[in-house]
Amino acid sequence: MYPTPSAQPPPDPVTPVPPPSASHMAPLGAAALAATLAALAMLGPFAVDAYLPAFPNIEASLGASAIEVQQSLTLYLLSFAGMALWHGALSDTFGRRNLILTSLALFAIATLGCAAAHTVQYLWAFRVMQGVTAGGGVVIGRAIIRDLYSDAPAARLLSLVTMIFSIAPAIAPVLGGWIVKLLDWRAIFLFLFGYTLVLLAFCYRRLPETLPPHKRQPFNPRFLARSYGQIFRSPLFHMKAGVVALNFAGLFLFITAAPVMLPRHLHLGPDQFGWLYIPSVGGIFLGALAANRVAGKITFARQIGIGFCFLLGAALCNVAYHLFFPPALPWTVVPMFFYTFGMSMVAPGATLLAMDLFPHIRGTVASCQSFAVTLLGALVAGVIAPFLSHSVLWLACGQLAFTATALCLWRVSRFYRGRLARAPATMAR
């Protein structure tokens, strides 16, 4: 566990944080702040998972092929990844609250456009606009946590956000399946539009600004280039960001393959996607709860090690089962619970350790982390999942390869950090 240098000690995690620039607002306590940040982070899962069961309906309604509808997801993820590089940097300059409010307003417009799309090309365009704006909450939310809390309190709050946020991936595909069965695929986007408007109104009234003007960074090309160069030249950043990205890719491989895997291999309908999502999200929730309880009691290194035991064990069991047996319920989906449990144990520590490498530009670091996760997710959705989705065994092998690579990166980062600790301080990055 690495302490974060700061000009003053962070607030106590149970003390409400008053907004520095909006004294008329009632302060948010830690639990309320976690709920707000989780609600912001939920936009991403709702925008991805809720419309997956509606792919066949979108194909029929817009006269598009399955590949063209799949591309709407790939374009969303690519635009999300590209803009994720800028959300944090812009918030380091203009403030966290301003960027979140702007992102929510533009996301609402894009969502309404998706609901009104009459060709797949229009759907692509508005999905790109959604991707550009959806990452504001999840990227800036991490920076807000790091603005206010340090070490174990930050880990506890981050895991609490994950616990609340995990509701979205569980209910999004189930809700989307029921909406498309009872109404129409456009109603999925109308529901998301209403959710965004409610969130925008609440954030306008209650979300504090956590980065006062005197702590903001200049917005100029030279400073940004220097900041990004500093981050991307850091081997430790790539290793620690890669740990989170690769573990998530192991989950996202099954999520993006679900429209093919569940109907073809498990013979499930669009309103039965919960067979995959509920165990996955149950693991995310309980893993985050476990991470919350052990924060400050054990080191980040030990917590991450425990998480990898679950990750590798689940992936190996998944491969072993499908080597000898055909896909079947519940055995095909049970390993996902233990995989996501381990993923939630690993993610808070690895995320905070990466952000602590550059405490003066945490927003930019958060952007780079989200960029890595989403870019790999786009590669999974656009290339790897379609290639592997014809076989559940191949999907399980892909998941094992992702998490094994993540473990290798973690072990190398520990060795590399140990070497740097023995080197002069000027070589620490």
Side-chain angles (χ1 to χ4, degrees):
M1 187 183 304
Y2 308 108
T4 304
S6 58
Q8 56 186 9
D12 184 86
V14 299
T15 302
V17 181
S21 60
S23 58
H24 64 282
M25 295 181 187
L28 286 175
L33 179 64
T36 303
L37 297 181
L40 289 167
M42 285 178 184
L43 285 178
F46 276 131
V48 171
D49 300 333
Y51 91 130
L52 291 180
F55 272 21
N57 302 75
I58 298 174
E59 293 170 28
S61 174
L62 300 183
S65 68
I67 293 296
E68 287 176 326
V69 177
Q70 178 74 26
Q71 286 171 341
S72 70
L73 175 60
T74 304
L75 289 170
Y76 168 88
L77 292 170
L78 287 173
S79 57
F80 187 109
M83 191 60 193
L85 277 174
W86 295 98
H87 285 303
L90 290 171
S91 75
D92 282 340
T93 299
F94 300 107
R96 316 297 192 205
R97 170 184 158 86
N98 293 333
L99 261 294
I100 285 179
L101 294 178
T102 302
S103 296
L104 286 173
L106 294 176
F107 183 86
I109 295 171
T111 304
L112 195 59
C114 289
H118 60 282
T119 67
V120 72
Q121 289 77 19
Y122 275 96
L123 181 64
W124 289 347
F126 286 113
R127 287 292 283 170
V128 167
M129 186 175 175
Q130 275 191 320
V132 167
T133 54
V138 65
V139 173
I140 300 170
R142 291 191 203 130
I144 288 173
I145 291 173
R146 224 49 187 106
D147 287 340
L148 303 175
Y149 302 94
S150 180
D151 297 332
R156 279 194 290 270
L157 187 58
L158 190 59
S159 60
L160 182 58
V161 170
T162 303
M163 287 168 56
I164 303 170
F165 154 83
S166 66
I167 298 170
I171 65 174
V174 177
L175 182 63
W178 279 108
I179 289 175
V180 76
K181 189 173 182 178
L182 297 174
L183 298 171
D184 182 68
W185 67 268
R186 299 178 191 276
I188 297 172
F189 290 103
L190 291 175
F191 166 81
L192 185 57
F193 173 72
Y195 174 83
T196 307
L197 287 184
V198 171
L199 192 55
L200 175 61
F202 180 84
C203 289
Y204 179 79
R205 293 176 59 86
R206 298 296 307 277
L207 185 69
E209 176 57 70
T210 62
L211 188 68
H214 70 276
K215 290 188 176 181
R216 297 178 188 176
Q217 302 293 339
F219 187 78
N220 63 69
R222 182 176 298 178
F223 178 81
L224 287 176
R226 186 165 62 248
S227 298
Y228 284 118
Q230 188 180 12
I231 294 169
F232 285 121
R233 284 195 304 268
S234 168
L236 275 175
F237 170 79
H238 288 290
M239 294 175 200
K240 291 172 180 177
V243 166
V244 178
L246 287 163
N247 285 336
F248 177 76
L251 168 64
F252 203 58
L253 181 62
F254 276 83
I255 296 299
T256 53
V260 174
M261 184 191 78
L262 297 183
R264 181 182 300 176
H265 301 299
L266 296 177
H267 312 293
L268 299 176
D271 56 338
Q272 295 177 300
F273 274 45
W275 274 104
L276 174 64
Y277 285 85
I278 291 174
S280 301
V281 174
I284 292 174
F285 180 87
L286 292 178
L289 177 62
N292 183 275
R293 295 296 175 86
V294 302
K297 299 176 182 177
I298 62 175
T299 63
F300 282 158
R302 187 176 178 188
Q303 178 179 325
I304 290 171
I306 293 171
F308 269 116
C309 290
F310 281 93
L311 284 161
L312 284 174
L316 285 169
C317 288
N318 208 7
V319 171
Y321 175 84
H322 291 98
L323 274 173
F324 300 104
F325 302 100
L329 295 173
W331 311 113
T332 294
V333 298
V334 164
M336 298 303 295
F337 172 85
F338 297 98
Y339 185 91
T340 55
F341 183 95
M343 189 180 74
S344 288
M345 288 286 289
V346 170
T351 298
L352 294 174
L353 290 176
M355 294 184 72
D356 285 351
L357 294 171
F358 306 97
H360 59 294
I361 46 172
R362 290 181 183 126
T364 308
V365 177
S367 280
C368 294
Q369 286 179 306
S370 290
F371 172 77
V373 171
T374 313
L375 186 63
L376 185 55
L379 178 64
V380 168
V383 179
I384 301 175
F387 178 71
L388 299 181
S389 60
H390 69 281
S391 167
V392 180
L393 174 60
W394 281 43
L395 288 170
C397 290
Q399 184 182 72
L400 178 60
F402 278 128
T403 196
T405 306
L407 177 60
C408 291
L409 285 182
W410 169 245
R411 297 302 301 170
V412 172
S413 74
R414 295 269 292 162
F415 174 77
Y416 186 77
R417 181 75 190 191
R419 289 187 60 186
L420 290 181
R422 295 188 292 272
T426 55
M427 299 172 60
R429 296 191 188 109

